[in-house]
Amino acid sequence: MDLATQKNDLIKWIHTIEDATILNKLESIKLEETFDFDREWERSISGDELRERTKKHLMSLPWKK
């Protein structure tokens, strides 16, 4: 079975799925394959930065004044 036939069979099968659990699992597989760790690492913040942002936010809440 060639790749095009396999893809076509999978597409047909996906269109018949009505179980949300299976669809969610397929979505998680899709996300795993497209996750770019290096890009996410560049966008991340340090623990110290998170602590400072959280502290600043908490101090800005009305109940804290």
Side-chain angles (χ1 to χ4, degrees):
M1 185 181 292
D2 67 347
L3 187 58
T5 304
Q6 286 179 319
K7 286 181 179 182
N8 194 28
D9 287 346
L10 281 172
I11 291 168
K12 287 178 184 176
W13 174 70
I14 288 170
H15 283 292
T16 65
I17 298 173
E18 295 182 13
D19 186 351
T21 305
I22 294 173
L23 291 172
N24 289 336
K25 180 62 178 172
L26 289 171
E27 183 68 21
S28 70
I29 291 170
K30 176 185 166 191
L31 293 174
E32 287 174 14
E33 292 178 3
T34 60
F35 183 80
D36 184 353
F37 181 81
D38 292 329
R39 191 181 88 223
E40 294 300 324
W41 182 262
E42 290 172 4
R43 296 177 48 206
S44 67
I45 62 172
S46 69
D48 290 335
E49 178 68 19
L50 175 62
R51 189 173 11 267
E52 288 301 315
R53 288 183 188 186
T54 303
K55 185 185 210 181
K56 183 178 177 182
H57 173 71
L58 289 174
M59 296 306 265
S60 73
L61 295 174
W63 58 268
K64 196 64 178 165
K65 293 180 179 180

